Amino acid sequence: GAGVSQSPSNKVTEKGKDVELRCDPISGHTALYWYRQSLGQGLEFLIYFQGNSAPDKSGLPSDRFSAERTGGSVSTLTIQRTQQEDSAVYLCASSDRRGGRADTQYFGPGTRLTVL
Amino acid sequence: LAKTTQPISMDSYEGQEVNITCSHNNIATNDYITWYQQFPSQGPRFIIQGYKTKVTNEVASLFIPADRKSSTLSLPRVSLSDTAVYYCLVGDRRDTGRRALTFGSGTRLQVQP
């Protein structure tokens, strides 16, 4: 079946503008994650959605970052008043957490954000 | 709060076996160990997952000693296409948030011809 998709694949914006990044998870997956990866670095957790529970926002770096997940499926990550340090690849992953094992996360290709 | 420690980089040659060790001294009883592989400009890809002893699939083996404070990903007969960054992640299905989902910098494996 289809994997996780993200759009746009690349986004160039000016400092101070708002951006929206979209993630379409694998159909039926109850959990959705957003990560940020700066050049040459590991993945930085941002936010986690699980079913109808309140999202875990513990990784969001500032109040300029927010995310929502509509209908338990598509998610949008919004960055307001972008700064140059927001430039990174934003990765989305989904998983089926109904099993007893630890998560197996399926990642999308990412959105490369460049803030000029 | 780092849960895992891995070497920053490793070098190997085609056809050799590569072993990458991850330390996780504070692993909890319910934690599983999962390894991911990431190629440039792509999202990470699941490789293997285990809880104890040894797990083997079509691409790798995972060795976990009895105390579970470390694990070793073994890649048999690597090829140039195995050049990637490898991440070790420890947690269980109840884990969420920054503490559980910090991948770290991973191990950059470079395979030479």
Side-chain angles (χ1 to χ4, degrees):
Chain A
V4 177
S5 61
Q6 293 185 244
S7 61
S9 56
N10 282 285
K11 176 71 176 178
V12 180
T13 190
E14 294 179 347
K15 177 181 174 180
K17 300 284 189 182
D18 298 351
V19 295
E20 285 190 352
L21 312 179
R22 176 186 169 106
C23 172
D24 284 84
I26 293 173
S27 178
H29 278 190
T30 58
L32 186 147
Y33 309 77
W34 283 99
Y35 295 86
R36 177 170 70 175
Q37 187 170 35
S38 300
L39 187 63
Q41 302 298 309
L43 282 74
E44 176 189 5
F45 166 78
L46 297 177
I47 190 169
Y48 161 78
F49 296 89
Q50 168 58 25
N52 296 320
S53 302
D56 182 335
K57 304 179 182 180
S58 61
L60 294 178
S62 76
D63 58 8
R64 295 187 295 106
F65 288 72
S66 63
E68 62 178 22
R69 188 179 185 191
T70 55
S73 181
V74 172
S75 177
T76 302
L77 176 69
T78 300
I79 309 173
Q80 296 177 312
R81 305 181 302 281
T82 52
Q83 304 294 313
Q84 288 182 332
E85 60 263 29
D86 298 334
S87 296
V89 175
Y90 289 81
L91 289 157
C92 174
S94 71
S95 69
D96 181 355
R97 290 180 69 90
R98 289 172 294 177
R101 287 178 170 266
D103 262 352
T104 297
Q105 296 179 50
Y106 296 86
F107 285 81
T111 294
R112 182 175 299 278
L113 174 66
T114 303
V115 181
L116 302 177
Chain B
L1 181 64
K3 294 184 70 174
T4 63
T5 303
Q6 302 175 235
I8 294 174
S9 64
M10 295 183 69
D11 293 310
S12 184
Y13 293 94
E14 283 191 292
Q16 290 190 333
E17 178 184 81
V18 171
N19 296 308
I20 306 174
T21 297
C22 178
S23 297
H24 27 81
N25 291 319
N26 297 322
I27 190 168
T29 301
N30 295 317
D31 284 345
Y32 281 79
I33 301 155
T34 309
W35 285 80
Y36 291 84
Q37 175 191 55
Q38 186 178 27
F39 297 113
S41 302
Q42 295 185 24
R45 183 175 70 101
F46 171 86
I47 302 175
I48 197 166
Q49 184 181 87
Y51 183 80
K52 63 180 179 181
T53 62
K54 177 183 175 183
V55 179
T56 297
N57 62 21
E58 63 276 9
V59 297
S61 294
L62 179 59
F63 297 92
I64 306 168
D67 66 6
R68 304 201 324 121
K69 293 186 176 182
S70 67
S71 59
T72 299
L73 174 71
S74 181
L75 305 173
R77 298 178 299 282
V78 295
S79 63
L80 295 176
S81 62
D82 293 316
T83 294
V85 178
Y86 292 83
Y87 296 96
C88 164
L89 192 65
V90 171
D92 76 7
R93 66 182 181 89
R94 300 168 301 176
D95 274 352
T96 65
R98 182 182 302 172
R99 181 178 182 276
L101 297 170
T102 300
F103 275 69
S105 298
T107 298
R108 189 172 300 274
L109 173 65
Q110 180 69 50
V111 180
Q112 306 281 0

